[in-house]
């Protein structure tokens, strides 16, 4: 109360001022247009061109000319998966793509598997992107600086956490110049890598035919097919991130469906052009592995040094590779945008702690951001920041989500084939998408499992188990709370007519109750006060905070509706208490921080009723461990700590329901 504390001033300086929930243009100010969605959400997919094509090319061994077939398959796959997710955007414009699709079309168990896989994939996106970017940065620095790379990665993760706590649009806007530097440097290079060898295409075609014939004689068609399939599968990292736009639809500007589909088209065209062009560039320029360098570095070095000489060419190469490194940091942003959104949707369904659905003053899912950052640090600790190990763990999870989403959409089109227009096209698109993604998933698990892929599956499996344990706990707690709600059906009848309402005496003893709406818990606290302090209080004031979370934040109108609904609920308390001979009134506010709202309401109530005692109910458990503290808020104790420090008496009434 009073002047803001040092902590509050520091928070305002670092994270920015609170958003105005009632601003009718609030969504316009914080949402992303298609261009910024392409940057913030598409950077993950586009950055995979820094390592995905290389993995596919190297998997061919000595038959590198066959990479042309891999390039064609890569471009085809990108457009199929992107087109499939464009269908998902139309059917599920609310976002959380993989989780919502699997939950609604295949059942909640499939949804939890898809959502859990997606969350871990986003965690790995953050870690591998920052680690790969750090590798690129430190490749230009002296070897003696190597020991500091781990701490550099940790610093970059912390920086991204800070940017995202400030807000989605702010974080994307800051990273826009990096994204554009990458695109403006790589597009001309890809064009040059392919274009200046256009006259040699007949020779290349002849070489492909010769190499293919030789490979068939050596290994047979089955062996050649196995090599191509392995190369195609090893380049699966190229497709990760395509789903990010579908998963993060709530961050897009209205009309969301059109914005999402436009951003998806931007990403599909740019990713297919760069990834496919780089693979062709490897073939046409006869790129060979060089120790200590990525294949992109070798390719761009050949092109630029040959074009401008060793001096200027090497400087430009350094700039291009620096742009690659910087884009990988931008790609980590996708994990901080998509991961909290999936966690929020799972929290709304009680598969994750409910606090993951809460929004901060800046209207971001702050607990989801903390979780993603913390898990990224855990992965960093497990792998030591090794990109080689992270690549092995990567890409498995996203194809679990891909496969479930595509199969779910196939089920959707088939069930609605009599009502949905264009169902045959949708079924065909998602059917091909399912066959591709499921095949890649099976082959990726088979190839990468013994090399460390089992770690990813173990972590994901543990996350799935934890989700069901959390859901079971919440259901058990809700069952006990429903017994309290039955109290509302057994309330004693009113004894005082409305015409004889008690007069207001502000100096009379007053009980100020903090409630979360009209429910059995609030009524139980009222009866506990009357029973514990018989004849003491003549006034009862009910305070309530309407908390905006990701499920209720749909615009200024929805915020106002929440406030009106909360006022109507509190009026039930007022009418009941007045009907039993007490004076009563209710006050409420809507916001994102429940403690700050209660603090503000309490300040006003204490000024109006100087002889007041504050009360709140708190669920108590037989064994109060970390698990219970994580899943249930302790608003009553936090409010008590703040009010008592301000000199206001407060009593917490225990509610034993478990």
């Amino acid at each position: 109360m009073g002047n803001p504390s040092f902590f509050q001033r520091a928070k305002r300086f670092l994270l920015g001022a609170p958003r105005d929930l009632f601003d009718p243009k609030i969504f316009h100010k914080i949402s992303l247009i298609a261009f910024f969605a392409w940057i913030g959400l598409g950077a993950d997919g586009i950055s995979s061109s820094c390592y995905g094509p290389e993995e596919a090319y190297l998997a061919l061994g000595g038959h590198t000319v066959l990479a042309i077939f891999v390039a064609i398959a890569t471009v085809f796959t990108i457009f199929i998966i992107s087109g499939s997710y464009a269908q998902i955007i139309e059917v599920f414009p609310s976002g959380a793509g993989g989780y919502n699709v699997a939950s609604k079309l295949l059942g909640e168990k499939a949804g939890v598997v898809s959502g859990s896989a997606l969350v871990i994939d986003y965690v790995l996106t953050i870690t591998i992107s920052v680690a790969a970017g750090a590798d690129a940065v430190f490749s230009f620095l002296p070897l003696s600086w190597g020991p500091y790379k781990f701490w550099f990665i940790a610093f970059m993760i912390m920086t991204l956490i800070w940017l995202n706590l400030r807000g989605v649009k702010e974080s994307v806007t800051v990273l826009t110049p990096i994204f554009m530097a990458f695109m403006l440097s790589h597009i001309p290079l890809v064009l040059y890598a392919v274009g200046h060898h256009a006259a040699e295409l007949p020779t290349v075609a002849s070489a492909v035919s010769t190499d293919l014939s030789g490979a068939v004689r050596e290994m047979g068609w089955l062996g050649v097919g196995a090599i191509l399939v392995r190369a195609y599968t090893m380049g699966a990292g190229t497709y990760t991130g395509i789903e990010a736009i579908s998963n993060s639809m709530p961050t897009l500007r209205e009309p969301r469906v059109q914005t999402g589909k436009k951003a998806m088209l931007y990403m599909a065209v740019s990713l297919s052009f760069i990834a496919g062009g780089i693979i062709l560039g490897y073939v046409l320029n006869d790129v060979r592995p060089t120790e200590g360098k990525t294949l992109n570095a070798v390719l761009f070095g050949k092109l630029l040094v040959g074009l401008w000489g060793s001096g200027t060419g090497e400087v430009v190469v350094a700039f291009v590779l620096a742009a690659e490194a910087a884009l990988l940091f931008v790609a980590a942003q996708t994990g901080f945008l998509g991961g909290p959104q999936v966690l929020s949707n799972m929290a709304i369904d009680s598969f994750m702690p409910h606090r993951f659905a809460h929004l901060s003053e800046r209207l971001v899912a702050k607990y989801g951001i903390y979780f993603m950052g913390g898990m990224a640090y855990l992965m960093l600790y497990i792998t030591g920041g090794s990109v080689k190990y992270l690549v092995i763990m990567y890409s498995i999870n996203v194809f679990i989500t891909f496969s479930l989403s595509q199969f779910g959409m196939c089920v959707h089109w088939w069930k609605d084939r009599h009502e949905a227009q264009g169902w045959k096209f949708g079924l065909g698109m998602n059917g091909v998408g399912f066959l591709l993604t499921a095949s890649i998933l099976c082959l990726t698990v088979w190839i990468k499992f013994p090399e460390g892929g089992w770690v990813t599956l173990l972590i994901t499996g543990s996350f799935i188990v934890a989700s069901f344990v959390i859901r079971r706990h919440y259901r058990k707690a809700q069952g006990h709370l429903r017994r309290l709600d039955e109290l509302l059906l057994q309330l004693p009848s009113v004894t005082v007519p409305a015409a004889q309402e008690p007069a207001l005496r502000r100096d009379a003893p007053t009980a100020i109750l903090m409630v979360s709406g009209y429910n059995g818990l609030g009524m139980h606290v009222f009866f506990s006060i009357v029973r514990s302090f018989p004849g003491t209080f003549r006034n009862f004031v009910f305070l309530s905070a309407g908390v905006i979370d990701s499920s209720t934040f749909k615009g200024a109108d929805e915020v106002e509706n929440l406030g009106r609904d909360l006022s109507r609920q509190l009026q039930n308390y007022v009418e009941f208490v007045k009907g039993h001979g007490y004076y009563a009134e209710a006050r409420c506010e809507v916001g994102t921080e429940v403690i700050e709202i209660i603090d503000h309401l309490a300040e006003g109530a204490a000024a109006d009723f100087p002889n007041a005692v504050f009360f709140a109910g708190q669920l108590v458990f037989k064994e109060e461990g970390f698990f219970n503290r994580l899943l249930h808020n302790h608003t009553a104790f936090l409010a008590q700590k703040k009010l008592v420090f301000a000199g206001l008496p407060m009593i917490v009434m225990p509610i034993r329901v478990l």
Side-chain angles (χ1 to χ4, degrees):
M1 300 179 185
N3 294 327
S5 64
F6 171 78
F7 173 78
Q8 290 172 323
R9 292 195 299 270
K11 179 181 175 183
R12 178 74 59 88
F13 174 76
L14 291 173
L15 303 183
R19 301 282 191 184
D20 181 6
L21 291 172
F22 296 95
D23 182 354
K25 296 182 179 180
I26 184 65
F27 266 99
H28 183 81
K29 292 178 179 178
I30 68 173
S31 58
L32 302 175
I33 61 173
F35 177 75
F36 284 126
W38 176 43
I39 294 172
L41 300 170
D44 179 26
I46 294 172
S47 71
S48 64
S49 63
C50 299
Y51 49 82
E54 178 174 345
E55 291 289 327
Y57 187 76
L58 292 176
L60 291 170
H63 304 283
T64 55
V65 176
L66 299 180
I68 290 178
F69 297 112
V70 177
I72 295 171
T74 297
V75 172
F76 174 75
T77 303
I78 290 170
F79 276 104
I80 286 294
I81 296 177
S82 299
S84 300
Y85 269 93
Q87 302 284 331
I88 292 175
I89 287 173
E90 282 198 21
V91 179
F92 294 93
S94 60
Y99 174 68
N100 270 356
V101 172
S103 296
K104 294 181 179 180
L105 300 180
L106 302 176
E108 66 176 24
K109 292 181 179 179
V112 171
V113 172
S114 180
S116 300
L118 198 52
V119 169
I120 301 303
D121 177 72
Y122 279 135
V123 169
L124 289 169
T125 293
I126 296 169
T127 313
I128 193 173
S129 297
V130 176
D135 277 357
V137 169
F138 275 76
S139 65
F140 297 108
L141 300 176
L143 290 176
S144 59
W145 290 34
Y148 300 103
K149 184 171 68 173
F150 182 91
W151 299 108
F152 176 77
I153 296 172
F155 171 76
M156 290 305 302
I157 293 175
M158 181 59 68
T159 301
L160 287 168
I161 292 173
W162 168 63
L163 284 174
N164 281 275
L165 288 174
R166 285 191 62 88
V168 172
K169 191 170 183 179
E170 282 82 352
S171 61
V172 173
T173 304
V174 168
L175 300 173
T176 298
I178 297 173
F179 182 86
M180 295 311 299
F182 176 89
M183 297 302 294
L184 294 176
S185 61
H186 280 64
I187 290 176
L189 280 171
V190 169
L191 287 172
Y192 182 67
V194 177
H196 88 292
H197 284 287
E200 303 171 16
L201 289 179
T203 304
V204 173
S206 176
V208 170
S209 177
T210 302
D211 190 70
L212 181 60
S213 300
V216 170
R217 286 194 300 271
E218 179 184 345
M219 299 175 291
W221 283 106
L222 188 61
V224 172
I227 289 178
L228 288 173
V229 168
R230 186 177 189 278
Y232 173 71
T233 304
M234 291 302 293
T238 305
Y239 318 119
T240 57
I242 293 178
E243 82 295 342
I245 294 172
S246 170
N247 293 337
S248 303
M249 289 295 289
T251 64
L252 304 187
R253 183 169 298 177
E254 296 287 359
R256 286 179 180 167
V257 172
Q258 287 81 352
T259 301
K261 293 177 74 173
K262 189 181 295 184
M264 184 70 76
L265 178 62
Y266 292 165
M267 182 172 65
V269 172
S270 54
L271 175 58
S272 60
F273 175 81
I274 293 177
I278 284 176
I279 295 176
L280 286 177
Y282 292 159
V283 177
L284 296 175
N285 293 275
D286 192 28
V287 172
R288 304 290 180 182
T290 301
E291 186 177 356
K293 290 186 177 183
T294 64
L295 290 188
N296 282 8
V298 176
L299 172 63
F300 298 149
K302 270 192 171 187
L303 296 174
L304 293 170
V305 172
L307 187 64
W308 286 320
S310 59
T312 304
E314 289 177 356
V315 171
V316 178
V317 169
F319 172 79
V320 172
L321 296 180
E324 279 195 1
L327 182 73
L328 286 162
F329 296 138
V330 178
Q333 174 69 8
T334 303
F336 282 110
L337 291 178
Q341 187 62 48
V342 179
L343 286 169
S344 175
N345 280 272
M346 294 181 73
I348 292 169
D349 294 335
S350 295
F351 285 111
M352 283 286 110
H354 288 161
R355 67 185 67 209
F356 281 141
H358 295 174
L359 300 177
S360 70
E361 293 177 334
R362 299 290 294 175
L363 303 181
V364 296
K366 62 178 182 180
Y367 290 110
I369 293 172
Y370 293 146
F371 177 84
M372 299 304 292
M375 286 294 291
Y377 278 122
L378 176 62
M379 291 297 183
L380 176 63
Y381 174 77
I382 291 174
T383 63
S386 169
V387 174
K388 180 180 179 180
Y389 193 65
L390 284 165
V391 166
I392 293 173
M393 298 174 65
Y394 198 43
S395 79
I396 292 177
N397 279 18
V398 73
F399 280 97
I400 294 176
T401 300
F402 278 173
S403 300
L404 288 172
S405 298
Q406 302 302 328
F407 183 68
M409 287 300 294
C410 290
V411 172
H412 162 75
W413 292 120
W414 182 253
K415 285 184 176 179
D416 293 355
R417 63 187 183 278
H418 299 299
E419 293 83 18
Q421 293 183 347
W423 70 271
K424 291 183 179 179
F425 174 79
L427 180 61
M429 177 70 75
N430 291 118
V432 174
F434 170 69
L435 292 176
L436 279 174
T437 55
S439 300
I440 294 173
L441 171 63
C442 294
L443 290 169
T444 302
V445 171
W446 179 54
I447 293 172
K448 293 186 176 182
F449 185 85
E451 300 175 7
W454 64 271
V455 177
T456 308
L457 296 176
L458 177 63
I459 294 173
T460 305
S462 301
F463 195 90
I464 293 169
V465 171
S467 299
F468 284 111
V469 170
I470 290 170
R471 175 66 174 271
R472 180 183 177 186
H473 176 88
Y474 276 132
R475 280 184 169 175
K476 186 177 179 181
Q478 289 164 0
H480 288 287
L481 288 174
R482 276 195 293 270
R483 293 210 300 267
L484 286 179
D485 288 338
E486 293 173 1
L487 178 65
L488 300 177
L489 303 176
Q490 305 169 11
L491 295 177
S493 58
V494 173
T495 59
V496 178
Q500 300 178 13
E501 287 184 1
L504 169 61
R505 292 172 49 200
R506 294 192 180 277
D507 58 345
T510 303
I512 302 179
L513 286 72
M514 301 175 187
V515 295
S516 59
Y518 184 60
N519 50 44
L521 184 63
M523 196 59 73
H524 181 83
V525 173
F526 168 74
F527 283 121
S528 296
I529 295 171
V530 173
R531 183 177 63 252
S532 301
F533 305 94
T536 301
F537 298 105
R538 303 308 305 165
N539 302 326
F540 286 86
V541 179
F542 294 88
L543 307 181
S544 187
V547 179
I548 299 295
D549 60 22
S550 58
S551 66
T552 56
F553 183 52
K554 308 297 182 184
D557 291 340
E558 289 298 321
V559 174
E560 293 178 356
N561 290 338
L562 176 64
R564 286 192 291 267
D565 179 65
L566 186 58
S567 296
R568 285 193 294 268
Q569 290 188 50
L570 296 183
Q571 195 59 33
N572 292 322
Y573 288 117
V574 172
E575 292 175 359
F576 177 81
V577 173
K578 284 184 175 180
H580 286 80
Y582 303 100
Y583 174 80
E585 65 177 65
R587 304 178 182 187
C588 65
E589 283 186 12
V590 174
T592 58
E593 300 288 347
V594 62
I595 297 300
E596 293 186 8
I597 297 172
I598 290 296
D599 184 36
H600 181 256
L601 291 172
E603 182 179 14
D608 293 338
F609 297 92
N611 192 16
V613 178
F614 290 83
F615 292 89
Q618 176 66 50
L619 295 179
V620 293
F621 300 86
K622 186 176 181 180
E623 296 181 1
E624 189 72 23
F626 171 78
F627 189 68
N628 289 331
R629 288 194 296 271
L630 175 66
L631 299 186
H632 298 275
N633 67 58
H634 287 68
T635 303
F637 293 130
L638 294 173
Q640 183 185 47
K641 181 178 179 180
K642 196 156 191 173
L643 295 186
V644 169
F645 183 79
L648 300 176
M650 178 172 173
I651 298 174
V652 176
M653 310 295 287
I655 310 295
R656 293 181 297 174
V657 295
L658 297 179

